[in-house]
Amino acid sequence: MKFARYGEKGLEKPALVDAHGQLRDLSAHCEDVTGEAFESGLFEKIAALDPESLPVVNGSVRIGPCVGKIGNFIAIGLNYTDHAEETNAPIPTEPILFNKARSCVVGPYDDVVLPPGSQDADWEVELAFLIGRRTYRVSQDNALQSVAGYFVCNDVSERDYQLKREGQWMKGKCCPTFGPIGPWLVTPDEVGDPQNLSLWLDLNDERFQDSHTSKMIFPIAEIVSYLSHFMILEAGDIVTTGTPPGVGLGMKPERYLKAGDEMRLSVEGLGEQRQKVVAFSN
């Protein structure tokens, strides 16, 4: 199944994406698309419905973030060997963890706003997932049972804040609009093997990232298990799993986002994002 959320910011409604790509309203059957809803049986409840019986969402509507009521927003750094190499970073022997702020989350077609004075904002297409049940110290063999669904994330990063200021990476990862997610949350039964998905990103119609999740250093099952040995993962937490090569930081000379740019990005089977880059305005 493919879930989505539509409507004005902060007022999004839940929807199902039918076989024809139409949005079908789920408001009569669930309050929102959240980790807690999956923990309470959302998948089983919606699977029992005939999608054709649900009202079609007519007209042009904003597509919001595909997950509501997000808990922690956890990210994995340098999870593709060739991305680590292009940024002159050591190949990690354990997953590198950092946080993104929930306040940076926006919809897949919302503008990305450069913070005041930004010169080094960068793009990162990533496969992300939603935790659908409380998880602690789970084995890798059982880890994927905790995943409620997968989605596209653009881990937008201000490299000056991330790398040239003292402290942790999250300084460059949490600016407002730096976490577009969606358009869809796709359930594991439809995704199949999460390590068998292509992913790509275009900037101004030029392909910059083009890779495959089979090239991850740490696959999804290992990430979930690893995280759960350091913290309790709660239903509603989301995790983004690292980007492949092709980011602006890795280019010679380096290239970064500027107002007027447009990004398009996708992970196979999870839909496509498109964002315009705009300057900060009061």
Side-chain angles (χ1 to χ4, degrees), residues 1 24 258:
M1 283 184 285
R24 300 274 181 165
K258 61 184 184 301

PDB file of all heavy atoms in Angstrom, residues 1 24 258:
ATOM      1  N   MET A   1       0.837  -1.196   0.000  1.00  0.00           N
ATOM      2  CA  MET A   1       0.000   0.000   0.000  1.00  0.00           C
ATOM      3  C   MET A   1       0.871   1.244   0.000  1.00  0.00           C
ATOM      4  O   MET A   1       1.977   1.243   0.546  1.00  0.00           O
ATOM      5  CB  MET A   1      -0.910   0.014   1.236  1.00  0.00           C
ATOM      6  CG  MET A   1      -2.096  -0.919   1.125  1.00  0.00           C
ATOM      7  SD  MET A   1      -3.188  -0.782   2.561  1.00  0.00           S
ATOM      8  CE  MET A   1      -2.214  -1.669   3.761  1.00  0.00           C
ATOM      9  N   ARG A  24      -7.049   8.712  -2.457  1.00  0.00           N
ATOM     10  CA  ARG A  24      -8.347   8.332  -1.873  1.00  0.00           C
ATOM     11  C   ARG A  24      -8.331   8.733  -0.403  1.00  0.00           C
ATOM     12  O   ARG A  24      -7.450   8.318   0.353  1.00  0.00           O
ATOM     13  CB  ARG A  24      -8.568   6.824  -2.003  1.00  0.00           C
ATOM     14  CG  ARG A  24      -8.573   6.304  -3.422  1.00  0.00           C
ATOM     15  CD  ARG A  24      -9.945   6.418  -4.030  1.00  0.00           C
ATOM     16  NE  ARG A  24     -10.002   5.896  -5.395  1.00  0.00           N
ATOM     17  CZ  ARG A  24     -11.142   5.628  -6.024  1.00  0.00           C
ATOM     18  NH1 ARG A  24     -12.310   5.828  -5.419  1.00  0.00           N
ATOM     19  NH2 ARG A  24     -11.124   5.187  -7.259  1.00  0.00           N
ATOM     20  N   LYS A 258      21.670  27.290  -5.055  1.00  0.00           N
ATOM     21  CA  LYS A 258      21.419  28.730  -5.072  1.00  0.00           C
ATOM     22  C   LYS A 258      19.956  28.962  -5.410  1.00  0.00           C
ATOM     23  O   LYS A 258      19.272  28.084  -5.978  1.00  0.00           O
ATOM     24  CB  LYS A 258      22.330  29.430  -6.079  1.00  0.00           C
ATOM     25  CG  LYS A 258      22.147  28.985  -7.508  1.00  0.00           C
ATOM     26  CD  LYS A 258      23.153  29.668  -8.406  1.00  0.00           C
ATOM     27  CE  LYS A 258      22.934  29.300  -9.885  1.00  0.00           C
ATOM     28  NZ  LYS A 258      23.022  27.856 -10.134  1.00  0.00           N
TER      29      LYS A 258
END
